[in-house]
Amino acid sequence: MTRVIFRYLFAEVSRTWLVVAGVLLFLTLGLGFARFIADAAAGELPVNTVLELAVFKLVENLEIVLPVSILLGVLLTLGRLCRDNEMAALFAGGAGLRTVYAPFICLAVIVAVAAGAMSIFAAPKAEQAMERIGAEGATTVLETLAPGRFRTFLDGDAVFYAESRDRDENLRNVFIRVKRDNEKGQPSQTIVTADRARQQTDDETGQVTLVLDDGWRYEGNPGRADYRVIQFAEHGVQLAAPRGQASSDVGTQSLSALLASDDPEAAAEWQTRVSVPISILILTLLALPLGRVPPRAGRYARVIAGILVYVIYINAVHLAAVAVEDETLPAVLGVWWVHLIVLAVAVGMVMREQGVFARRRRGAAA
């Protein structure tokens, strides 16, 4: 009898979770696809990399989709079972909470293992691949620039213009303007004009450099004492880092590298990654008592409450990680105190459902 109940409940919650996860993944893929299409239309990305980047971004977003999907899957399944009085029938037939909750915990463990593999191993690889594609896109920047048209980069902070292209595929009569903050944090701009722009690639290291020949560089704001005018015969701008150069972004580093580092930013990163599978297990344990509703309440009665709990929980984890990164919170304490608080609330709700507190009160009264 127990096996029959396990298979039935496991099939119900798995089916609901797959539907919820599928919808969320589809929405995530669509949003990422739209964003990269917009970047490609603005000339910031090669068109042929849009789909690949969207897929890699989807892998990164799984650490958000999987926890909320398992929470909603459990809440919706328990809501339907209670609405149709199936939960009442199971308890009336002698099934205990352990028998009823076992399929939900089993699915949570499976999803947590998959999410752990995604957040700890797959997501950094996806971030590395996205950086590689971005670097490769930068190496073809001169090929994608059309002469006679202004092109904007860096969300409009950089403007590039070339009058024509010669037989050697070099751009002629180049104009570049970049807006940025100076060393004092004040807005400043740099304007560069050059007779020719060409691209150089180091065959050994793979480093790509944009070389400007015979030009002028105007740096600062006109009328200020720190305004500078520089004439140059050759001026190089690095477009892509050399092959094999390690990325300084902790998001691309492996778990072993993060654990070996003393940098608080590395500690915050690996704790955030490990928090993904932990949060799935805790959210499932929290959703089990939260999802049980009166038969007439409807299957969606606790969904809003569950989403609110998820938002508070996940934001608290990320705020704790930011505090670790800023060294306002010791790495030993890290994000673990958030997990412990939510876990304590979940265990307390389960114990209350089992009547532990009621029995203790009766025992104390006797």
Side-chain angles (χ1 to χ4, degrees):
M1 184 65 180
T2 303
R3 292 183 179 180
V4 174
I5 294 174
F6 182 92
R7 287 197 298 267
Y8 172 71
L9 294 179
F10 186 82
E12 286 292 313
V13 68
S14 298
R15 184 161 48 245
T16 304
W17 170 73
L18 286 174
V19 171
V20 173
V23 171
L24 294 177
L25 287 175
F26 179 78
L27 293 175
T28 302
L29 180 61
L31 291 174
F33 197 67
R35 171 194 165 189
F36 291 124
I37 285 179
D39 291 342
E44 298 182 6
L45 288 175
V47 177
N48 58 351
T49 64
V50 170
L51 182 58
E52 190 175 3
L53 285 170
V55 172
F56 286 134
K57 192 63 179 178
L58 177 64
V59 173
E60 286 188 331
N61 289 337
L62 280 173
E63 63 184 38
I64 300 175
V65 171
L66 291 178
V68 70
S69 64
I70 192 68
L71 172 68
L72 293 177
V74 173
L75 289 175
L76 292 174
T77 302
L78 287 174
R80 190 200 66 78
L81 293 173
C82 293
R83 182 199 62 185
D84 297 340
N85 292 315
E86 292 185 29
M87 189 67 70
L90 289 173
F91 289 133
L97 285 177
R98 182 179 301 179
T99 301
V100 173
Y101 286 171
F104 298 92
I105 298 296
C106 182
L107 176 64
V109 171
I110 295 174
V111 176
V113 172
M118 287 290 179
S119 64
I120 296 174
F121 302 107
K125 295 293 184 182
E127 184 69 25
Q128 291 177 8
M130 293 177 67
E131 284 195 358
R132 173 182 55 79
I133 293 173
E136 292 176 354
T139 64
T140 60
V141 63
L142 290 186
E143 300 175 5
T144 60
L145 291 173
R149 297 177 59 184
F150 284 93
R151 295 286 295 273
T152 59
F153 302 93
L154 304 177
D155 297 327
D157 290 337
V159 178
F160 186 96
Y161 174 83
E163 182 179 358
S164 61
R165 189 186 297 272
D166 60 23
R167 295 180 180 179
D168 297 328
E169 295 300 318
N170 297 321
L171 296 174
R172 306 306 297 257
N173 296 328
V174 175
F175 170 85
I176 303 174
R177 188 195 69 180
V178 179
K179 291 182 178 180
R180 60 182 181 181
D181 293 338
N182 58 21
E183 298 174 352
K184 299 179 180 179
Q186 300 172 342
S188 178
Q189 67 175 350
T190 300
I191 297 177
V192 178
T193 61
D195 178 66
R196 182 177 65 168
R198 52 193 171 87
Q199 184 173 298
Q200 285 185 349
T201 304
D202 192 309
D203 295 333
E204 296 182 359
T205 65
Q207 178 174 307
V208 180
T209 305
L210 174 66
V211 180
L212 304 173
D213 296 324
D214 300 328
W216 293 82
R217 178 186 176 97
Y218 308 88
E219 191 173 289
N221 295 314
R224 296 181 61 90
D226 58 353
Y227 188 75
R228 297 191 302 172
V229 180
I230 304 171
Q231 184 180 13
F232 59 84
E234 183 177 279
H235 178 56
V237 180
Q238 181 177 302
L239 296 180
R243 288 190 296 264
Q245 179 173 312
S247 174
S248 59
D249 185 7
V250 295
T252 63
Q253 297 180 17
S254 65
L255 181 62
S256 58
L258 294 175
L259 291 173
S261 175
D262 296 331
D263 187 5
E265 188 177 358
E269 175 66 21
W270 76 259
Q271 290 185 20
T272 301
R273 293 185 193 177
V274 175
S275 293
V276 176
I278 294 175
S279 66
I280 289 176
L281 297 175
I282 295 177
L283 285 170
T284 302
L285 187 63
L286 186 65
L288 290 173
L290 187 64
R292 288 187 59 188
V293 295
R296 296 182 181 180
R299 65 185 301 183
Y300 304 107
R302 301 289 178 86
V303 171
I304 296 179
I307 294 177
L308 181 61
V309 169
Y310 167 80
V311 171
I312 295 174
Y313 178 24
I314 297 302
N315 282 328
V317 171
H318 284 288
L319 288 175
V322 171
V324 172
E325 184 177 338
D326 296 338
E327 298 187 73
T328 57
L329 193 68
V332 176
L333 185 59
V335 302
W336 313 124
W337 64 274
V338 180
H339 295 302
L340 289 175
I341 290 175
V342 181
L343 178 61
V345 172
V347 171
M349 293 176 65
V350 172
M351 293 175 63
R352 179 184 177 186
E353 202 173 30
Q354 291 179 326
V356 173
F357 299 128
R359 288 196 297 270
R360 287 182 178 178
R361 285 196 296 268
R362 288 195 299 267

